[in-house]
Amino acid sequence: MPAPASISRRQFLTGSAGHVERSPFAARPPGVTAQSVSACTRCGKCADACPENILLIGKSGVELAPQAGECTFCGACAQVCPEPVFQSSFDMAHGVRIGEGCLAKAGIACMTCRDVCPESAIRMEPRMGGPFLPRLDAEACTSCGACIGPCPADAIEAFEISDEKEEVHV
């Protein structure tokens, strides 16, 4: 008889059994745009300088790994970069959204995202007959990624901000 498959708590709760579909979008650190990342030589100095250890060097250059932790906007990455990768505007070129896999949407009480958000950008709204639902305030959200890794359902993701106005509230 084959050994039982080992799955994580997150995989069990979401029913994903290890298969999570993700968009090919790679979040970038603050100040890095789709255009400026082309100047990245992939030297790794920014990743080495990051005190949060959330930067990695991907195929197209420096990437942010929000599932590994939160960006504190310290600027260490920009200070050591020898190329014009980091722009003067130290904003994120991505947004954050809470997807349909959210446990609260499935009727399971969870407030993890609200609890870990350093900007209090996620509030819980009451609803009849079920647990409170998370509401993301796009104006208050810095897209730091603090909510992405701790989400037990893997329901929060970064998305590339386009010229079109995208709705980021749940």
Side-chain angles (χ1 to χ4, degrees):
M1 174 156 59
S6 175
I7 63 173
S8 72
R9 179 173 179 255
R10 177 178 291 179
Q11 292 165 339
F12 175 75
L13 290 171
T14 62
S16 65
H19 182 62
V20 177
E21 291 291 326
R22 286 286 181 188
S23 63
F25 169 71
R28 293 178 289 278
V32 179
T33 65
Q35 294 77 30
S36 70
V37 75
S38 65
C40 181
T41 61
R42 299 194 307 268
C43 69
K45 290 180 181 179
C46 56
D48 293 340
C50 179
E52 305 302 328
N53 294 315
I54 58 169
L55 297 183
L56 53 94
I57 307 302
K59 285 190 251 179
S60 63
V62 62
E63 296 177 4
L64 181 69
Q67 68 280 3
E70 130 190 35
C71 177
T72 59
F73 300 89
C74 68
C77 52
Q79 291 172 356
V80 299
C81 183
E83 303 300 331
V85 176
F86 294 85
Q87 306 299 299
S88 58
S89 170
F90 213 57
D91 295 325
M92 294 290 197
H94 66 269
V96 173
R97 65 178 155 220
I98 302 171
E100 292 303 313
C102 174
L103 292 177
K105 289 182 179 184
I108 302 167
C110 180
M111 296 187 183
T112 303
C113 57
R114 180 208 61 183
D115 294 344
V116 298
C117 181
E119 301 298 325
S120 299
I122 302 175
R123 296 188 188 346
M124 303 307 280
E125 291 186 348
R127 69 173 170 163
M128 296 276 277
F132 288 20
L133 290 175
R135 175 70 57 188
L136 179 64
D137 179 355
E139 296 297 316
C141 180
T142 62
S143 300
C144 70
C147 58
I148 295 175
C151 176
D154 203 25
I156 305 173
E157 67 178 353
F159 67 93
E160 190 164 20
I161 296 174
S162 66
D163 292 336
E164 302 164 16
K165 183 93 171 161
E166 180 154 352
E167 181 67 31
V168 294
H169 298 285
V170 206

